[in-house]
Amino acid sequence: MKSPRTPKKSSYVIGVDFGTLSARAVLVNVANGEVCASAVEAYPHGVMEDQLGVDGKALPPQTALQDPSDYLYALKKTIRKVIRQSKVLSNDVVGLGTDFTCSTVLPTDGAGEPLCTKEEFRREPHAYVKLWKHHASQPEADAINALAAQRKEDFIGAYGGRYSSEWLFAKVLETVRKAPRVHQVAARWIEAGDWIVWQLTGCENRGVSASGFKAMRVVDRTGTNHADYPSSEFFAALHPALADVVESHLTAPHLAPGKCAGHLTPPFAKCLGLPAGLPVAVGNIDAHAAIPACGVGEPGRMVMIMGTSSCHLLLAKQGRRIPGVCGVVREGVMPGLWAYEAGQAGVGDMLSWFVENSLPAEVFTAARRHTSGVHGVLSDRAAQLKVGQSGLLALDWWNGNRSVLMDADLSGLLVGLTIQTKPHEIYRALVEGMAFGTRKIIEAFTSQKIAVREVVACGGLASKNPFILQVYADVIGRPIYLAAATEASALGAAIFGAVSAGIYPNFKSAIQTMTQPPIKVFTPDPQRHRQYELLYKEYRRLHDFFGATTDSTMKRLRAMQRAAI
Amino acid sequence: MKSPRTPKKSSYVIGVDFGTLSARAVLVNVANGEVCASAVEAYPHGVMEDQLGVDGKALPPQTALQDPSDYLYALKKTIRKVIRQSKVLSNDVVGLGTDFTCSTVLPTDGAGEPLCTKEEFRREPHAYVKLWKHHASQPEADAINALAAQRKEDFIGAYGGRYSSEWLFAKVLETVRKAPRVHQVAARWIEAGDWIVWQLTGCENRGVSASGFKAMRVVDRTGTNHADYPSSEFFAALHPALADVVESHLTAPHLAPGKCAGHLTPPFAKCLGLPAGLPVAVGNIDAHAAIPACGVGEPGRMVMIMGTSSCHLLLAKQGRRIPGVCGVVREGVMPGLWAYEAGQAGVGDMLSWFVENSLPAEVFTAARRHTSGVHGVLSDRAAQLKVGQSGLLALDWWNGNRSVLMDADLSGLLVGLTIQTKPHEIYRALVEGMAFGTRKIIEAFTSQKIAVREVVACGGLASKNPFILQVYADVIGRPIYLAAATEASALGAAIFGAVSAGIYPNFKSAIQTMTQPPIKVFTPDPQRHRQYELLYKEYRRLHDFFGATTDSTMKRLRAMQRAAI
């Protein structure tokens, strides 16, 4: 056990949040959690969806690749910037934590060198990083699910019954099938979040979080209390080339979040302008890093990170398998607790689609006089409506359904449209649909006796739009607290950095010292909550009718669409 | 029997089409059907939906009123204009026919004076004309349907099993319930189409068409071959004040379309600048007037009038009761044939809603360079899509469903939305939904062995948008002919005027002489027709799921909306 060091007034930790389009670093005072400096740097190659950066090679649909050199570039830029901005002495930096989008996966050689940097593979898309939202691996996810069902594999229950195309093994299998040479040459398959820590420390470690939530490494139900990957028989049945994939490509120490993964190597110390030997926390998932930053370290308070999509995270003493909940991992976020993750695939994304594709010019004109722009105009108007007044109802599946149906082929629905329907009425229906989706998730937990007493919200959508949070509170009938942290994942990465550096003895004290109380509470209105019961009943009915796996119009429409293209 | 007069080269008839927002008069050469002049005049009060013109009194939702003085104003303006424009001598005008929206109903005194013109009732909304699209009488339509079902009334079978909120007795009952004094004082309840002819001729007559299609006056199935209204027992059970409503408020000579209702009175002759004693045809329904103008006078060729809503008319030798078809009337359009009417409540309306409420500025910018404006841009883009490519499906019920579900409380639905969905894809889905609705109607006929071999389309939407007609042809698998007449109802009113004035011995010869052949045919593409089978299957599934009378989300949403307002 580490002996806690007393934080000095002049001690700082750095947290780096690797997002989809950019990395953000914050430099945080460990004594009070104050963010002294913050810097963002976009990835030069961004997300490669249409063509490969190196030669402009066209990429197939649903591809989303990244260049790993971008991560190192953004890391250096942002860290140097926060040091410069804050004027903190680099020797006063006592810890470094990171978080990363997940599952974002790349193949490397035995030394951690990405395959896409080698001459042989520079023009091979499958040698690059496959970003979380790379969905071209859906057929491979289908194959994994079919095989798991056929073999009655225990692990699949920990993923709510369905393995996602976004996750590690779907992407690995896609590479094995489409670019077998990449897998032959690769020595390691690794999450980018673990890879960056390997680069910084020179030591290969794996986070139990990413491997538990995305890579089938679960505690089985036989009571051994031991987390492991599926058997080599399973992998051999999936593809002969994968029979030994765990031993050959994944085996490494697996560390829980908040553990120290190693210390900054001298070359990296020089490159970043930080002290060599600085403790570096084990890799973490971006959404999960937000939990302590929202002041949450105990069961019963669900953290909802609301951005383009929405992530619902919950800690509990019990480890149960919950249909429709994407993952449950022992100590997946903090020691002594099980972590659960559920999600909604399209939230801010859906509202942006609406604004970009379905709004008359009049609203844009009105938005010129509104401090919160188009969303402000629509929210203000929508807030005037009574529950049920628009006659509209939406299924919020513009990006498919993550929880509790876990089906990327589902789609959005609007019912109740008339020639009197106004844009702000549709906007409200979309927000209500999102709130109903969250209520479905909460009920998945509570039906299994996992408590959700209140919700703490963070993320761009939550901080920008009080109307949305009030609708959520009214629909779910629980108070929603708006977290103080505006860059919650980055601050969270710093908190993990502080804990892993031994600055605090545990998360509880780190959270107490380094986070601020919520800045606002949204209390459910009892009357509106009662009225929403009726509307929610209809939502559930349509949810079950369209979300049914055996007879779904949505899935047949998607199949027709695929056939037409 | 009249002896036909040989038309002179210099003989003309005038047709006046009273639409929703304006009246249109055409002056037509009886020798060849040439439209020599055409004039439109908007109703000064338009449609009063939000407030009453006289005092700005707020009106309840789903209200749609008109001021009857507007009809006389527009009549005078347009007739004087066509005489002036054409330079025809008024004495060369040999007949006058009219058609009217229907069921558009008003209460009058015994002399035909509208109650709303009297001081006592000028501020009473229920004393005004209730326009066809006044839907606030839905609870009354529900009461009529419940009672008819309970009493096993025979008449309801002639309306496909459901009486509509748009029709006469729903509006009368609403007035009896909400403004009993209006009914107490009123001597007559009358269709505006019959009222205008009463004004012109000084004689009160009723068209068998409007009374048959909208006012329960049907040929019963006992074989008496005699058309009559329901019993006074039925009306007494509906409301005590209505026990004698037929005898007291409706009884008058009922004349078939094409009959002469009387002759122009000297005061009106002076007012309109036409010869006194001019024969005036009995009142007619606007959509029905279009049938001869489209060159149709025989069974098997369905006429589809496509405007804000869509009306489907079919002639047949057999008089059958067809579930979901709004009406069947013996000699309802022409002698010797039964007339059937079905309809879709929102067609052009729905597309206009989409353009006005749900389009980004980019499309309007592109429309500046397109001769057919926004609809042209959307149609061109939508035409590039393959069947099924958008993944979208719509239920076309933005104005409720007329046929075959006959339920104004149903609403529009869009499914298959994703963040990749583009406006023109939605536009195509709306058009496809309309076409599927028409296919449903055709199948209602053919399932009862009433033939529909081909479709003749007319109306603004049909003439303006070839893309729409091609989708229809592909979906229904039958050729669609675009009628030559651009103002089909007004031309049809003139043809009815010519027949009622005895210019032609029958409709066949009038149609032969006064109409042009179709200007274009849209032939179904066999491959697209096959592909639409799949999509139509899904349409039918959603149609039945949402249109079910016993367990409909749409109806519950509507009920919640009413409760909220």
Side-chain angles (χ1 to χ4, degrees):
Chain A
M1 200 177 172
K2 284 166 198 151
S3 75
R5 284 194 260 159
T6 312
K8 297 186 294 173
K9 225 194 154 73
S10 54
S11 286
Y12 301 89
V13 281
I14 291 177
V16 186
D17 168 42
F18 289 89
T20 299
L21 295 168
S22 61
R24 171 183 300 275
V26 291
L27 186 139
V28 179
N29 187 331
V30 294
N32 56 16
E34 186 201 347
V35 176
C36 306
S38 169
V40 180
E41 187 72 36
Y43 304 141
H45 297 89
V47 181
M48 295 180 282
E49 291 179 308
D50 302 320
Q51 53 181 37
L52 204 58
V54 64
D55 60 356
K57 183 179 189 172
L59 296 171
Q62 297 185 289
T63 296
L65 306 179
Q66 294 198 313
D67 188 322
S69 65
D70 288 358
Y71 306 141
L72 299 173
Y73 170 84
L75 178 73
K76 178 177 162 185
K77 282 276 194 180
T78 54
I79 287 187
R80 285 191 165 271
K81 207 180 274 179
V82 292
I83 296 280
R84 203 165 57 238
Q85 272 179 16
S86 63
K87 300 191 174 105
V88 157
L89 297 176
S90 67
N91 276 332
D92 288 338
V93 176
V94 295
L96 172 61
T98 62
D99 69 76
F100 222 103
T101 64
C102 187
S103 186
T104 293
V105 175
L106 70 158
T108 72
D109 67 13
E113 185 76 10
L115 254 56
C116 62
T117 61
K118 298 182 185 289
E119 187 50 37
E120 180 187 352
F121 294 112
R122 283 187 59 233
R123 288 168 179 74
E124 171 50 64
H126 292 278
Y128 281 77
V129 180
K130 290 186 178 172
L131 187 62
W132 64 276
K133 67 176 182 172
H134 173 93
H135 288 136
S137 41
Q138 184 62 50
E140 285 71 28
D142 294 345
I144 289 169
N145 284 313
L147 183 65
Q150 182 203 316
R151 290 174 48 93
K152 301 194 173 58
E153 290 284 345
D154 175 74
F155 77 84
I156 201 71
Y159 298 100
R162 280 178 79 92
Y163 195 79
S164 162
S165 65
E166 291 187 1
W167 298 346
L168 183 136
F169 283 114
K171 286 164 172 162
V172 170
L173 179 58
E174 187 200 12
T175 307
V176 169
R177 283 177 171 183
K178 294 183 182 162
R181 172 88 185 138
V182 170
H183 179 65
Q184 276 164 21
V185 173
R188 315 302 286 161
W189 280 108
I190 191 163
E191 284 286 345
D194 288 330
W195 176 79
I196 200 86
V197 173
W198 185 2
Q199 298 293 304
L200 291 168
T201 62
C203 316
E204 186 190 356
N205 289 293
R206 306 275 173 142
V208 298
S209 182
S211 55
F213 278 106
K214 316 290 179 186
M216 304 183 185
R217 185 175 177 275
V218 305
V219 177
D220 70 21
R221 285 181 300 183
T222 57
T224 60
N225 217 16
H226 173 71
D228 210 348
Y229 294 95
S231 64
S232 64
E233 287 78 19
F234 170 78
F235 284 112
L238 193 58
H239 195 289
L242 290 178
D244 300 320
V245 66
V246 172
E247 292 223 336
S248 59
H249 289 74
L250 299 168
T251 300
H254 282 72
L255 303 180
K259 297 286 176 197
C260 177
H263 299 84
L264 199 62
T265 63
F268 258 97
K270 196 172 168 205
C271 159
L272 302 177
L274 290 176
L278 182 74
V280 179
V282 68
N284 203 353
I285 301 177
D286 51 358
H288 298 199
I291 298 176
C294 288
V296 172
E298 76 279 30
R301 297 173 70 207
M302 189 170 83
V303 172
M304 185 162 64
I305 298 123
M306 302 171 77
T308 55
S309 64
S310 179
C311 192
H312 303 69
L313 296 160
L314 189 63
L315 304 175
K317 290 196 176 133
Q318 313 89 336
R320 302 226 169 93
R321 293 179 169 197
I322 302 180
V325 166
C326 319
V328 48
V329 175
R330 183 164 49 101
E331 306 204 329
V333 172
M334 286 177 201
L337 294 170
W338 291 74
Y340 293 84
E341 179 177 337
Q344 289 176 272
V347 178
D349 254 10
M350 181 170 76
L351 297 179
S352 299
W353 170 86
F354 179 66
V355 163
E356 285 160 25
N357 290 280
S358 300
L359 265 197
E362 175 268 319
V363 182
F364 288 95
T365 308
R368 282 191 223 125
R369 297 183 305 273
H370 197 292
T371 50
S372 301
V374 171
H375 290 275
V377 170
L378 292 169
S379 297
D380 284 357
R381 293 180 184 175
Q384 304 300 316
L385 296 168
K386 294 177 188 149
V387 174
Q389 183 176 345
S390 72
L392 293 169
L393 182 61
L395 289 179
D396 53 314
W397 304 342
W398 263 248
N399 264 344
N401 178 301
R402 204 173 289 164
S403 302
V404 297
L405 296 169
M406 300 189 166
D407 194 333
D409 281 350
L410 298 179
S411 56
L413 176 140
L414 263 175
V415 58
L417 294 156
T418 76
I419 59 166
Q420 279 84 39
T421 300
K422 295 283 181 294
H424 65 275
E425 296 180 316
I426 298 179
Y427 191 83
R428 183 176 176 119
L430 297 180
V431 170
E432 289 173 343
M434 286 153 44
F436 292 143
T438 288
R439 181 160 169 184
K440 253 323 228 180
I441 289 170
I442 290 174
E443 288 179 359
F445 284 116
T446 55
S447 72
Q448 300 295 316
K449 309 261 184 283
I450 304 291
V452 181
R453 290 191 318 279
E454 60 185 43
V455 174
V456 183
C458 68
L461 200 61
S463 60
K464 273 185 256 168
N465 200 321
F467 162 70
I468 293 180
L469 293 190
Q470 187 58 54
V471 170
Y472 270 61
D474 292 340
V475 165
I476 67 177
R478 287 167 171 79
I480 297 186
Y481 294 86
L482 177 59
T486 50
E487 295 151 356
S489 287
L491 173 61
I495 293 174
F496 278 97
V499 170
S500 71
I503 307 291
Y504 290 99
N506 53 41
F507 279 96
K508 194 174 167 193
S509 58
I511 290 169
Q512 264 173 2
T513 314
M514 293 182 72
T515 68
Q516 302 297 316
I519 50 172
K520 199 163 176 191
V521 57
F522 296 84
T523 310
D525 175 87
Q527 195 194 345
R528 286 197 295 267
H529 181 59
R530 272 196 308 279
Q531 291 165 334
Y532 271 128
E533 288 296 323
L534 283 176
L535 216 48
Y536 181 59
K537 244 189 213 169
E538 300 303 325
Y539 177 89
R540 272 198 312 212
R541 181 165 183 256
L542 300 190
H543 178 283
D544 294 349
F545 180 77
F546 284 98
T549 47
T550 50
D551 183 23
S552 166
T553 289
M554 283 180 185
K555 292 181 72 87
R556 285 190 295 265
L557 288 173
R558 193 63 76 119
M560 280 182 242
Q561 183 178 37
R562 290 219 176 88
I565 298 168
Chain B
M1 201 178 174
K2 285 168 195 151
S3 76
R5 287 193 257 158
T6 314
K8 298 186 295 176
K9 226 198 154 66
S10 53
S11 286
Y12 302 88
V13 282
I14 290 177
V16 185
D17 167 42
F18 290 90
T20 298
L21 294 168
S22 61
R24 170 185 298 277
V26 292
L27 186 140
V28 178
N29 188 332
V30 295
N32 55 17
E34 185 201 346
V35 176
C36 306
S38 169
V40 181
E41 187 71 35
Y43 305 141
H45 298 90
V47 181
M48 295 179 285
E49 292 180 308
D50 302 321
Q51 52 180 39
L52 204 57
V54 64
D55 60 355
K57 183 180 187 169
L59 297 171
Q62 296 185 290
T63 297
L65 306 179
Q66 294 199 313
D67 188 321
S69 66
D70 289 357
Y71 305 141
L72 299 172
Y73 170 85
L75 179 73
K76 179 177 162 185
K77 283 276 196 181
T78 54
I79 287 188
R80 285 191 165 271
K81 208 180 271 181
V82 293
I83 297 281
R84 203 165 59 237
Q85 272 179 15
S86 64
K87 301 191 175 105
V88 158
L89 297 175
S90 68
N91 276 331
D92 288 338
V93 176
V94 296
L96 172 62
T98 61
D99 69 74
F100 223 104
T101 63
C102 188
S103 186
T104 294
V105 175
L106 69 158
T108 72
D109 67 13
E113 186 76 10
L115 254 56
C116 62
T117 61
K118 297 181 187 290
E119 187 50 37
E120 180 186 353
F121 294 112
R122 283 186 59 232
R123 287 170 178 75
E124 171 50 67
H126 292 278
Y128 282 76
V129 181
K130 289 184 177 171
L131 186 62
W132 64 276
K133 67 176 181 173
H134 173 93
H135 289 135
S137 40
Q138 185 62 48
E140 286 72 27
D142 293 344
I144 289 170
N145 284 313
L147 183 63
Q150 181 203 319
R151 290 174 48 93
K152 300 193 173 60
E153 290 285 344
D154 175 75
F155 77 84
I156 201 73
Y159 298 101
R162 279 178 80 91
Y163 195 79
S164 163
S165 66
E166 293 188 1
W167 299 345
L168 184 135
F169 283 114
K171 286 163 172 164
V172 170
L173 179 58
E174 188 201 11
T175 307
V176 170
R177 285 178 169 183
K178 294 184 184 163
R181 172 89 185 139
V182 170
H183 178 64
Q184 277 163 21
V185 173
R188 314 302 286 162
W189 280 108
I190 191 163
E191 284 286 344
D194 288 331
W195 176 80
I196 199 86
V197 172
W198 184 3
Q199 298 294 302
L200 291 168
T201 62
C203 316
E204 186 192 356
N205 289 291
R206 306 274 173 141
V208 299
S209 182
S211 55
F213 277 107
K214 316 289 178 188
M216 305 183 185
R217 186 175 177 274
V218 306
V219 177
D220 70 20
R221 284 181 298 184
T222 56
T224 61
N225 217 15
H226 172 71
D228 210 348
Y229 294 95
S231 65
S232 64
E233 287 78 18
F234 171 78
F235 285 111
L238 194 59
H239 195 288
L242 290 177
D244 300 319
V245 66
V246 172
E247 291 222 336
S248 59
H249 289 74
L250 299 167
T251 300
H254 281 73
L255 303 179
K259 297 288 177 195
C260 178
H263 299 84
L264 200 61
T265 63
F268 258 96
K270 196 172 165 204
C271 160
L272 303 177
L274 290 176
L278 182 73
V280 179
V282 68
N284 203 352
I285 299 177
D286 52 356
H288 297 198
I291 298 176
C294 288
V296 171
E298 77 279 26
R301 297 173 69 207
M302 189 169 84
V303 172
M304 185 162 67
I305 298 120
M306 302 172 75
T308 54
S309 65
S310 179
C311 191
H312 303 68
L313 296 159
L314 189 63
L315 305 174
K317 291 196 176 135
Q318 312 89 336
R320 301 223 171 96
R321 293 178 168 197
I322 302 179
V325 167
C326 321
V328 48
V329 175
R330 183 164 49 100
E331 305 204 328
V333 172
M334 286 176 200
L337 293 170
W338 291 74
Y340 293 84
E341 178 177 338
Q344 289 176 271
V347 178
D349 254 9
M350 181 170 76
L351 298 179
S352 299
W353 170 86
F354 178 66
V355 164
E356 284 159 26
N357 290 280
S358 301
L359 266 197
E362 174 268 320
V363 181
F364 289 95
T365 308
R368 282 192 222 127
R369 297 181 306 273
H370 198 291
T371 51
S372 301
V374 171
H375 290 275
V377 170
L378 292 170
S379 296
D380 285 358
R381 293 180 183 175
Q384 305 300 317
L385 297 168
K386 293 178 190 152
V387 174
Q389 183 177 344
S390 72
L392 293 169
L393 181 60
L395 290 179
D396 53 314
W397 305 342
W398 262 248
N399 264 342
N401 178 300
R402 205 173 287 164
S403 300
V404 298
L405 296 169
M406 300 190 166
D407 194 332
D409 281 350
L410 298 178
S411 56
L413 176 141
L414 263 175
V415 57
L417 294 156
T418 75
I419 59 166
Q420 279 85 38
T421 299
K422 294 282 180 296
H424 66 275
E425 295 181 316
I426 298 179
Y427 191 82
R428 182 175 177 122
L430 297 180
V431 170
E432 289 172 343
M434 287 152 46
F436 292 142
T438 287
R439 181 160 169 183
K440 255 316 226 184
I441 289 170
I442 290 175
E443 289 179 358
F445 285 117
T446 55
S447 72
Q448 300 295 316
K449 308 260 184 283
I450 304 290
V452 181
R453 292 192 315 280
E454 60 186 42
V455 174
V456 183
C458 68
L461 200 62
S463 60
K464 273 184 256 168
N465 200 321
F467 161 70
I468 293 180
L469 292 189
Q470 187 59 53
V471 169
Y472 270 61
D474 291 340
V475 165
I476 67 177
R478 287 168 171 79
I480 297 185
Y481 295 86
L482 178 59
T486 50
E487 295 151 356
S489 287
L491 173 61
I495 294 173
F496 278 97
V499 170
S500 70
I503 309 292
Y504 290 99
N506 53 41
F507 279 96
K508 193 175 168 190
S509 58
I511 289 169
Q512 266 172 2
T513 313
M514 293 181 70
T515 69
Q516 304 295 318
I519 50 172
K520 197 162 178 193
V521 57
F522 295 84
T523 310
D525 176 86
Q527 196 195 342
R528 286 197 295 267
H529 181 59
R530 271 196 308 277
Q531 291 166 332
Y532 271 129
E533 288 297 323
L534 283 177
L535 216 48
Y536 181 58
K537 242 189 216 169
E538 299 303 326
Y539 178 89
R540 273 198 312 212
R541 180 165 184 257
L542 300 191
H543 179 283
D544 295 349
F545 179 76
F546 285 99
T549 48
T550 49
D551 184 23
S552 167
T553 290
M554 284 181 185
K555 292 182 71 86
R556 284 191 295 266
L557 288 174
R558 193 64 75 121
M560 280 182 241
Q561 184 178 35
R562 290 217 176 90
I565 298 168

